[in-house]
């Protein structure tokens, strides 16, 4: 026998093919898809009405609209109702909003809502900025009032050795000296049990010449222009010890502006100052 599916031959008769397992007698079929057939409508010619004869039919007149009336009931002498028709008053034409007007109203509402939101947003932004500035200002005031320390140290001048720059009783505000002092700086230094205030004339590494004959001071071969002193440069006062020509490193030569009444580096009691003995540098003076 031969199987119609796998086309193989076998000797024994069986219900199912020993090779493909399908009934051998059933032929292999190919499915055919069904197709749908549409009935096409036949095109028909439009009917042409027959021409009518002239004046064959009179066109009826259009009906006039009946006047609207209201029925009002009255009672006669016997108690019977009599209906009386009264012409109805014409109603005023009411305006009906069309879809165009409704869309316009919605658009106007949206524009108004957007304007309100924009104004509110601008208001909240300004309010937030002002609030932030207020917080920063308050924080700065609190910091200055409670945490920031005054950078100045105040001293009161005693004596007239710095006239006319600093008078007796004037207060000076000094700051910590950073680095080495310079010629012309007014410094506060330790002297005895207290402090003294004098002006720096020469520092370590510079040359100093006190020219008493010509009443001048020469530093590094340059004459100092001292417009701040009271009286002459020396006021006929000489040093009571030998001032070195070359100022050693780490030393400072100081003088008072009132040279006649000033105990300064010209005297043995003061001499050359050590830079480490300088406490502060005068920043400004509060006159009394």
């Amino acid at each position: 026998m031969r199987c119609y599916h796998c086309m193989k031959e076998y000797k024994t008769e069986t219900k199912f093919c020993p090779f493909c397992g399908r009934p051998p007698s059933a032929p292999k079929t190919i499915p055919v898809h069904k197709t749908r057939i549409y009935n096409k409508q036949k095109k028909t010619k439009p009917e042409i009405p027959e021409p009518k004869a002239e004046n064959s039919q009179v066109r009826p007149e259009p009906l006039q609209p009946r006047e609207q009336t209201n029925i009002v009931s009255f009672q006669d002498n016997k108690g019977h109702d009599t209906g009386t028709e009264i012409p109805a008053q014409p109603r005023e034409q009411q305006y009906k909003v069309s879809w165009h007007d409704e869309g316009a109203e919605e658009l106007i509402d949206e524009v108004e809502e957007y304007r309100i939101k924009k104004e509110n947003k601008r208001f909240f932004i300004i309010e937030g900025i002002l609030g932030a500035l207020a917080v920063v200002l308050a924080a700065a005031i609190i910091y200055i009032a409670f945490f920031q320390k005054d950078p100045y140290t105040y001293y009161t001048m005693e004596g007239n050795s710095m006239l006319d720059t600093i008078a007796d009783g004037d207060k000076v505000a000094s700051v910590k000296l950073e680095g080495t002092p310079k010629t012309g700086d007014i410094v506060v230094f330790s002297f005895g049990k207290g402090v003294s205030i004098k002006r720096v004339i020469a520092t370590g590494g510079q040359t100093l010449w006190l020219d008493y004959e010509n009443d001048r001071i020469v530093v590094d071969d340059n004459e100092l222009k001292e417009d701040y002193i009271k009286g002459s440069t020396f006021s006929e006062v000489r040093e009571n010890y030998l001032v070195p020509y070359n100022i050693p490193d780490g030393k400072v030569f100081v003088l008072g502006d009132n040279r006649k009444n000033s105990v300064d580096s010209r005297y043995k009691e003061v001499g050359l100052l050590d830079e480490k003995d300088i406490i502060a540098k005068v920043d400004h003076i509060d006159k009394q």
Side-chain angles (χ1 to χ4, degrees):
M1 295 183 64
R2 175 177 291 185
C3 178
Y4 287 97
H5 299 281
C6 60
M7 303 304 292
K8 292 184 179 181
E9 294 182 357
Y10 53 91
K11 296 180 180 180
T12 60
E13 293 183 2
T14 57
K15 293 182 179 181
F16 301 97
C17 177
F19 298 100
C20 64
R22 286 179 283 187
S25 59
K28 186 177 181 180
T29 60
I30 300 174
V32 178
H33 296 284
K34 295 181 179 181
T35 58
R36 182 176 296 178
I37 300 173
Y38 296 93
N39 294 326
K40 296 183 180 180
Q41 297 181 358
K42 295 181 179 180
K43 294 181 179 180
T44 57
K45 295 182 180 180
E47 296 181 357
I48 301 173
E50 297 179 357
K52 296 181 180 181
E54 294 182 1
N55 300 327
S56 61
Q57 186 178 358
V58 179
R59 185 176 181 180
E61 294 291 335
L63 297 177
Q64 297 294 332
R66 183 180 178 182
E67 184 179 2
Q68 296 181 359
T69 58
N70 293 335
I71 300 175
V72 182
S73 63
F74 296 95
Q75 292 182 354
D76 55 6
N77 296 330
K78 296 180 180 181
H80 298 289
D81 293 336
T82 60
T84 304
E85 294 184 356
I86 300 175
Q89 297 295 332
R91 295 182 179 180
E92 296 181 359
Q93 184 178 4
Q94 296 181 354
Y95 176 74
K96 184 179 181 181
V97 180
S98 65
W99 68 273
H100 297 283
D101 299 330
E102 292 177 358
E105 290 179 357
E106 292 178 359
L107 181 60
I108 292 172
D109 294 339
E110 291 179 0
V111 172
E112 184 68 16
E113 184 179 0
Y114 174 76
R115 185 184 65 81
I116 295 173
K117 288 183 178 179
K118 189 174 181 180
E119 290 180 356
N120 293 337
K121 184 177 180 181
R122 186 182 304 170
F123 172 76
F124 286 129
I125 291 174
I126 296 174
E127 186 180 13
I129 293 173
L130 294 178
L133 291 177
V135 171
V136 172
L137 181 60
I141 293 173
I142 293 173
Y143 176 77
I144 293 173
F146 295 98
F147 298 101
Q148 188 177 18
K149 295 181 179 179
D150 190 355
Y152 296 108
T153 304
Y154 297 90
Y155 297 93
T156 302
M157 183 69 189
E158 295 181 359
N160 297 318
S161 63
M162 287 296 291
L163 287 177
D164 287 335
T165 306
I166 307 174
D168 185 20
D170 290 346
K171 290 185 178 180
V172 296
S174 61
V175 294
K176 185 178 180 180
L177 181 64
E178 296 180 358
T180 58
K182 298 179 181 179
T183 300
D185 290 344
I186 300 175
V187 295
V188 181
F189 59 93
S190 300
F191 180 69
K193 295 182 179 180
V195 295
S196 181
I197 301 174
K198 294 293 184 287
R199 188 183 295 274
V200 176
I201 301 300
T203 59
Q206 291 184 321
T207 60
L208 175 64
W209 177 32
L210 304 179
D211 189 1
Y212 289 98
E213 286 75 12
N214 298 314
D215 196 26
R216 63 175 186 164
I217 297 176
V218 180
V219 178
D220 290 339
D221 298 331
N222 296 317
E223 182 181 354
L224 291 181
K225 302 297 181 182
E226 297 182 296
D227 299 332
Y228 44 79
I229 64 174
K230 183 177 179 62
S232 64
T233 303
F234 297 108
S235 298
E236 300 177 358
V237 178
R238 289 177 175 267
E239 76 275 9
N240 61 2
Y241 88 108
L242 184 61
V243 178
Y245 178 75
N246 294 310
I247 305 300
D249 293 336
K251 298 292 183 177
V252 178
F253 183 86
V254 295
L255 292 176
D257 291 350
N258 187 6
R259 304 290 165 80
K260 187 177 181 179
N261 297 318
S262 175
V263 179
D264 43 41
S265 293
R266 294 173 295 177
Y267 298 89
K268 293 180 180 180
E269 293 83 352
V270 180
L272 297 178
L273 298 179
D274 288 332
E275 290 183 358
K276 61 182 181 180
D277 293 334
I278 298 176
I279 301 173
K281 173 185 174 182
V282 175
D283 185 76
H284 60 272
I285 303 164
D286 296 332
K287 294 287 186 178
Q288 296 297 321

